[in-house]
Amino acid sequence: MPDHLLERATLSQVSASVKTPGYTTHPTETGVVHLGLGAFHRAHQAMVFDQLLREGDSRWGIHGVGMTQPGLVNKLRAQDGLYSVRIAGATGVEWQVPGALWQTSVATTERPKVLAAIAAKSTRWITLTVTEKGYTPALAQLLIDGLRLRHANGAGGLGGLTIASCDNLQGNGHKLKALIHATASSQDEALMQWVDAHCAFPCSMVDRIVPAATEEVATAAKEALGLTDDCALSTETFWEWVIEDNFVDPGDAALLAKCGVRVTNDVHSYEEAKLRMLNGSHSAMALMGAITGRPYIASCIGDDHIREFVYRLMSREVAPHLSRTDWADYRDALIQRFGNPYLKHSVHQIATDSSQKIPQRWPPSILGQMAKGQSFEHHALAAAIFLRYTLAVNEQGHAYTLNDPQAESLLAIGKDQVADAASSLKALLSRQDLWGIELTRNAHWAERVAYWHDQVIHQGVDATVKFAITLDA
Ligand code: CS2
């Protein structure tokens, strides 16, 4: 097998079984600036834009911005923005090389390039996947500076932008717009008026399971492509993108819809179902897996008691508060998706930033159950498991790292939990940033988490989960 790198010059050598762009990947004029060039964007939105480019609409080439790490951007540059994606589902496996990534830059070291891209005439959209913890004043300042440049260039007739947050946050478009307004200085008043009048901030729900790249996938890519690909990704067949019908160019709605994107005025019901069912179960399983030594989500859902736990969590405690009525089908499909053997989705990857994820994923269901006087035992057990996770050592005695902006405070809370459970529980459950004000004041919640924590510490996670699913609560 030749040891050539996947790049524009070698694209024609890619094995015929692999779907390749089939259009000229354009070097400079891009239509979308994407902030947060992680695996997710490259296997989700970049593939939707690839579809639009395939249909001959050249306005969807991406300028991808890595927020901090130059490593991935350098690798992608060496490959002219090309990379392969293994798509695995019930019907088998296929490989595709999307071609939408035309330009790249790193926000920390190439800021002027990013600002110029936001201000460029050809740019129509900004999309963002900067993760939950990325919604900072620094992000807003980057956008404000880019928009200021665009506004200043506006004499030449530049329009506003559709700015679509695609992170797992409820009401993500509203949150981004509010953050920009809160960060803008008094000198930016005219700019903010222009932003309000000419830019659109649609809310979005995005869904596709895309684990971080691994060596195993790179090896499989070499086999499938006949070329070396240092940026190969693996994902599932399923994908969903639901976006609010709120665009600067109203014509974009029909174009996206044609590619399978759901354009609607009711993103909220999709967001809440996805965050609480998919992501809520993901966080619970990830923490269980980290403690019990299961490496992947598929290894968790593959065990009957964990699958039953997740099924009950979704059916009994999440579903009653959703406005999406087809939740039973959604739940069953999720359980299938979690079991996809190709994904090898690391529990430690999902447990990363738990302090930023849990607030969106669990409290709304817990509060919903409380309001109806219904049981929240599954979530209480999940919260107890989260506390056990902060011990940073699994049940086999192996230490693991807590990758979390709150790691220091969580480790301090968790370290004495075996000897002094009451203090750790009190410290964790009084954190309003995690649970919200109402839950921190709820004695019944605290009592149930303490009950499950005692079980987890003394019986272990598996025995406790097995016991929990025998309860009819
Ligand atoms: C996961 C998500 O890492 C995580 O926290 O729950 O990345 C999840 O895989 C995606 O939201 C699926 O759409």
Side-chain angles (χ1 to χ4, degrees):
M1 199 180 287
D3 204 19
H4 290 144
L5 198 61
L6 170 66
E7 55 187 315
R8 221 176 296 151
T10 58
L11 196 53
S12 60
Q13 295 168 30
V14 168
S15 305
S17 57
V18 177
K19 185 169 163 187
T20 51
Y23 53 86
T24 319
T25 55
H26 195 292
T28 48
E29 288 212 335
T30 54
V32 180
V33 175
H34 179 77
L35 305 182
L37 197 52
F40 179 78
H41 169 72
R42 286 184 293 131
H44 184 273
Q45 267 153 349
M47 298 186 79
V48 176
F49 297 149
D50 173 74
Q51 183 61 34
L52 288 161
L53 292 165
R54 278 171 185 282
E55 283 160 20
D57 187 344
S58 62
R59 298 173 303 165
W60 301 92
I62 302 165
H63 183 123
V65 181
M67 298 309 282
T68 51
Q69 304 292 344
L72 173 68
V73 169
N74 289 338
K75 281 194 205 166
L76 284 164
R77 273 184 192 158
Q79 299 187 183
D80 299 323
L82 297 170
Y83 57 91
S84 58
V85 182
R86 180 180 69 190
I87 305 166
T91 53
V93 173
E94 48 188 74
W95 286 84
Q96 185 176 342
V97 175
L101 186 58
W102 293 354
Q103 295 288 317
T104 48
S105 46
V106 181
T108 41
T109 54
E110 297 172 312
R111 190 180 178 93
K113 237 180 112 182
V114 180
L115 304 185
I118 294 175
K121 191 158 186 257
S122 60
T123 299
R124 305 168 64 245
W125 277 58
I126 301 178
T127 50
L128 297 95
T129 51
V130 293
T131 79
E132 296 85 345
K133 66 170 181 271
Y135 287 76
T136 61
L139 170 76
Q141 199 58 56
L142 180 73
L143 288 164
I144 291 168
D145 291 350
L147 292 167
R148 190 187 296 114
L149 193 60
R150 188 175 184 89
H151 185 220
N153 292 351
L158 288 190
L161 297 174
T162 296
I163 305 177
S165 163
C166 302
D167 281 292
N168 287 324
L169 294 164
Q170 185 98 47
N172 48 19
H174 304 307
K175 285 203 170 109
L176 180 60
K177 188 172 181 182
L179 179 69
I180 288 177
H181 274 280
T183 308
S185 73
S186 51
Q187 275 114 61
D188 291 325
E189 216 174 288
L191 175 65
M192 287 303 114
Q193 277 170 15
W194 176 80
V195 167
D196 287 347
H198 297 281
C199 294
F201 290 82
C203 289
S204 239
M205 182 281 256
V206 291
D207 188 6
R208 188 171 220 181
I209 297 177
V210 190
T214 61
E215 269 305 312
E216 187 222 325
V217 176
T219 307
K222 190 163 185 179
E223 184 88 2
L225 271 58
L227 293 169
T228 298
D229 178 2
D230 292 330
C231 307
L233 295 171
S234 138
T235 191
E236 56 181 340
T237 313
F238 180 93
W239 68 272
E240 202 171 21
W241 182 8
V242 183
I243 188 163
E244 195 182 355
D245 191 358
N246 174 18
F247 306 106
V248 170
D249 180 347
D252 291 346
L255 292 175
L256 290 171
K258 226 176 114 203
C259 293
V261 176
R262 191 186 296 261
V263 181
T264 168
N265 286 317
D266 175 32
V267 179
H268 185 85
S269 63
Y270 292 92
E271 279 174 344
E272 64 177 14
K274 196 251 168 177
L275 285 167
R276 300 178 200 174
M277 284 237 184
L278 188 162
N279 298 115
S281 308
H282 246 180
S283 285
M285 283 188 283
L287 299 168
M288 282 181 199
I291 300 166
T292 58
R294 290 180 174 85
Y296 306 122
I297 288 298
S299 359
C300 296
I301 203 80
D303 278 326
D304 291 350
H305 59 290
I306 299 185
R307 189 169 54 252
E308 179 63 17
F309 175 85
V310 167
Y311 182 91
R312 289 167 58 123
L313 177 108
M314 291 198 273
S315 314
R316 298 175 183 215
E317 297 182 15
V318 181
H321 316 289
L322 298 179
S323 30
R324 191 168 167 168
T325 49
D326 60 348
W327 62 263
D329 292 342
Y330 188 58
R331 170 201 61 202
D332 295 346
L334 280 177
I335 288 178
Q336 287 288 324
R337 291 170 63 197
F338 292 150
N340 188 323
Y342 284 91
L343 292 180
K344 297 211 164 42
H345 202 182
S346 155
V347 294
H348 283 287
Q349 186 196 335
I350 298 167
T352 295
D353 295 349
S354 285
S355 72
Q356 313 294 301
K357 294 172 175 175
I358 286 173
Q360 278 83 240
R361 300 179 179 196
W362 295 348
S365 304
I366 303 163
L367 292 169
Q369 289 291 90
M370 282 174 178
K372 286 189 168 179
Q374 298 292 327
S375 147
F376 44 80
E377 296 296 294
H378 297 77
H379 280 90
L381 172 50
I385 289 172
F386 179 44
L387 178 54
R388 169 63 184 79
Y389 170 76
T390 65
L391 206 50
V393 54
N394 74 12
E395 290 177 345
Q396 291 81 43
H398 301 302
Y400 52 79
T401 307
L402 250 67
N403 288 315
D404 196 299
Q406 289 295 324
E408 211 177 308
S409 68
L410 291 175
L411 289 167
I413 285 173
K415 70 180 179 355
D416 295 326
Q417 65 179 286
V418 179
D420 184 5
S423 302
S424 294
L425 281 157
K426 189 160 179 243
L428 186 77
L429 297 179
S430 63
R431 292 274 300 254
Q432 289 184 13
D433 60 326
L434 294 170
W435 312 108
I437 195 158
E438 244 183 289
L439 276 186
T440 58
R441 292 181 177 162
N442 192 299
H444 185 36
W445 164 246
E447 188 243 303
R448 295 316 299 158
V449 180
Y451 170 82
W452 288 113
H453 181 255
D454 186 62
Q455 298 285 319
V456 164
I457 294 296
H458 295 105
Q459 319 295 334
V461 165
D462 281 305
T464 306
V465 171
K466 281 180 186 158
F467 170 61
I469 60 171
T470 64
L471 300 176
D472 207 29

